[in-house]
Amino acid sequence: MIRRGTATDGLGILRFKNGFQIKISNLFAGLGLAMAAVLLAVYSLQIGLTKTGISDFLAIFVGAELSDAKVYALIDVRLPRILVGFMVGWAVALSGAVLQSLARNPLADPGLFGFSQGSMIMIMLLLIVVPLAPKSLVALAAVAGGLCVAGLLLWLVGGGRSSGLAIVLMGIAVETVLSSFGTLLILYLPPETSLALSEWLAGSLFQANWSLIAAFLPLHGHLVSGILIAGRLLPAYDLGNEMAMALGEPVARSQPLLLLFAVVLSAAAVTAVGPLMFLGILAPHIAAFLSPATGRARLVLSGLTGGILVVAADTLTRGVAVGLPMPLGLSLTIIGVPLFIIALRLQALRKFQSH
Amino acid sequence: MQRRLVFLSAMTFLLPVVAGVHLFLGFRSTDLPQLLFAFAGSDAQSFEEAVLLYQRVPRTLIALYVGGVTAVCGFVLQSLVRNPLASPTTLGVNAGAALFLVAGVLLFNLDTKLQGAAALVGALSGFLASLAVAKAAGRRNDPRGLSLILSGALVTMFFTGLTNALLLSDPARRSDLLSWIVGTINHAYADRLALFWWVGVIAILMLLVLARPLTLILFGAEKAASTGVNVPIVSGLAILAAVLGAGSAVAICGPIGFVGLVVPHIVRPLVGNNLRISLPAAFLTGAMVCIMADLIGREALYPFSLSTGLVTDLVGGVVFILIIKRFYLSSGAQQGVA
């Protein structure tokens, strides 16, 4: 049923009978990350003004009576926050990982490329026209906005030459224009919407609740199939479009699909918490640092890392800065920039060695 | 030569016209003759005169100063860094000044005078941080200096993030700084102009004095050195003056983005690279652009008024995109873009 073998690079690998195979190191990294995620969630449950934690949480299932404040803190505030945080981190990290393979650019990120801002703008335009739009329409608008920006960026950069720093700068420029346009749009929103939106614009988990999770969950189900398909394709794309074609990949058909997949992921995250920068770069890089992987394993590991990063950032801001309403997007930027610079430095060093 | 003179004289003519529109637009036309006399007297006689003297005039002066100084500094930075995307906004200067000023206000309760000093220090540290990051991330194959601009963008994001975090930590004083932080030209900042104008004037005078050796440096460091120019000292002084000048503009009314990026690209094709002529041209054009941006922000979406920084960000960002496209992504520019 399961055979243990050795991959071409001499590392251990597990081969299943149906052809599925996974590197042992990746398997362990994945299990370790999943464990870390659970531990982090347990710790995060304890952080906050109300004194309660995992023991109280488990007690609820046994049937113990708890004070309302504790139940409220655990079930209505902290648990949704952790779950939404994890799902959003997972989605953005996957989006980044897919984009990086597509653009063959290790610095690709849905936030930095302006996709999330595009989604945000489209949502705002929708809310101006239809103030009480249902959640599904909002999500659709987010996808449309992300796609518009992706198309714009492709047109500006011009098809094939998408590698290098120029596209990153172009993304940042598009992002700048869109975000100042967003600030302008806020003027036209009804006051109560614009107040909620300005928090949303900063990327925050304040409004995490169970209905949001319910809206987000079906999408997450689709993600699993997306990972299975995208994960098979991406290694070919990592070699470049010509090589992918030579390997028998129908680039003309699968490339737009992959781009759509990445945009949908980032749009879903924007609908839930707002635009997050740098996460899409950080998570795949950290995952690759922990355990180098390709294909599906890379996607799963990146997603896990992304989820952990968001929950950790949220826990950190809640634990360290008590009473300071720091939006998630802000703490991710402050953590993200130095790590991004380190990634640039490492990349430069690697180039230096290879020359 | 002909074209330069035409451009310069057109600007000298247009600037007072635009400034006049900025000053008098919105008053009843019957009041205008009387309002002109308001400048003669020292005190305002009516409501209209008070609006003109205490709101419009300071606003025009601030726009004039900020636009002119930022454009000149942007021109010098672009020439010396040899990068079409260099400007106070893209090299972290504005973000640095903003961060240090906000930190000074919130953490150390600095008074207005020291806030200006903090902004100047911040401008310099933002610029140095961008250089340091570019060096750390240094690529060997980067003749067009893209990594410097990317570093500037990263430093800007980081500093802006820190600034916002600082502002969030003090909700009470946040509202005071909130309109400043997005770059607003407002008569309320007239006292800041009165305190800091000399920084920009000294910076511009210094750059004008250095204009000849700087122009020589543009032809190549070796050529300039062979004509007796001390290249390191001249370029160092010029960059210092440019960064401090831009910092003083931020200290007055917050970061007004992209004027320093866009104006040099308007001026250079028309006037050329001789700094003795192009610096004054950049000053006039920058002042006019900034006054126009303020006018648009004030009137376009009436009764809402936009902050000038938002208008310049919007327009400047588009120009930023066009410059990247033209200089880095057109088919001729492909070689060497790593």
Side-chain angles (χ1 to χ4, degrees), chain B residues 37-45 49-50 53-54:
Chain B
F37 290 105
F39 293 111
S42 56
D43 256 341
Q45 306 295 326
E49 287 189 22
L53 284 183
Y54 301 127

Side-chain angles (χ1 to χ4, degrees), chain B residues 39-331:
Chain B
F39 293 111
S42 56
D43 256 341
Q45 306 295 326
S46 64
F47 174 71
E48 279 79 14
E49 287 189 22
V51 169
L52 180 69
L53 284 183
Y54 301 127
Q55 291 198 5
R56 293 289 175 87
V57 171
R59 218 171 147 152
T60 314
L61 286 179
I62 291 176
L64 187 91
Y65 175 87
V66 169
V69 170
T70 316
V72 167
C73 297
F75 200 104
V76 171
L77 281 180
Q78 270 178 25
S79 306
L80 282 179
V81 180
R82 291 175 188 284
N83 191 316
L85 287 171
S87 78
T89 323
T90 47
L91 292 179
V93 173
N94 282 358
L99 172 66
F100 274 58
L101 195 146
V102 168
V105 173
L106 294 183
L107 301 179
F108 304 108
N109 282 318
L110 298 182
D111 60 6
T112 319
K113 219 178 240 172
L114 284 175
Q115 282 173 26
L120 294 186
V121 176
L124 208 55
S125 14
F127 182 70
L128 292 179
S130 299
L131 286 186
V133 170
K135 193 150 194 219
R139 302 176 163 218
R140 305 178 81 201
N141 185 21
D142 185 24
R144 286 158 171 274
L146 265 180
S147 62
L148 178 64
I149 303 299
L150 185 65
S151 313
L154 288 173
V155 167
T156 300
M157 282 182 205
F158 186 57
F159 280 10
T160 314
L162 285 181
T163 312
N164 284 332
L166 275 174
L167 282 175
L168 278 176
S169 70
D170 196 337
R173 275 183 290 182
R174 176 170 186 244
S175 48
D176 297 340
L177 287 167
L178 214 51
S179 77
W180 179 86
I181 199 72
V182 289
T184 311
I185 291 177
N186 192 310
H187 60 92
Y189 299 130
D191 52 339
R192 288 170 180 267
L193 179 68
L195 277 174
F196 308 135
W197 61 271
W198 55 271
V199 181
V201 170
I202 289 181
I204 287 184
L205 285 180
M206 200 157 124
L207 290 173
L208 282 178
V209 169
L210 291 176
R212 209 185 85 85
L214 278 177
T215 312
L216 286 173
I217 289 178
L218 292 186
F219 289 122
E222 288 86 6
K223 281 183 191 157
S226 69
T227 56
V229 175
N230 190 338
V231 177
I233 288 187
V234 169
S235 17
L237 276 179
I239 284 187
L240 187 72
V243 169
L244 291 184
S248 79
V250 178
I252 291 173
C253 62
I256 305 273
F258 291 108
V259 174
L261 175 74
V262 174
V263 172
H265 283 278
I266 304 174
V267 171
R268 196 174 290 118
L270 295 167
V271 183
N273 259 328
N274 184 352
L275 291 180
R276 264 193 293 188
I277 300 171
S278 48
L279 286 189
F283 184 90
L284 294 174
T285 318
M288 202 181 74
V289 164
C290 204
I291 292 176
M292 262 163 37
D294 188 44
L295 194 65
I296 293 171
R298 205 178 69 195
E299 303 290 340
L301 298 174
Y302 190 84
F304 301 116
S305 92
L306 299 177
S307 56
T308 319
L310 195 63
V311 179
T312 57
D313 269 0
L314 208 55
V315 179
V318 175
V319 178
F320 189 43
I321 291 175
L322 294 178
I323 296 173
I324 299 177
K325 183 136 182 72
R326 165 139 184 255
F327 284 87
Y328 294 99
L329 292 170
S330 63
S331 44

Side-chain angles (χ1 to χ4, degrees), chain A residues 145-163:
Chain A
L147 280 179
C148 287
V149 173
L152 179 75
L153 208 59
L154 272 181
W155 176 69
L156 282 173
V157 176
R161 326 186 211 97
S162 52
S163 59

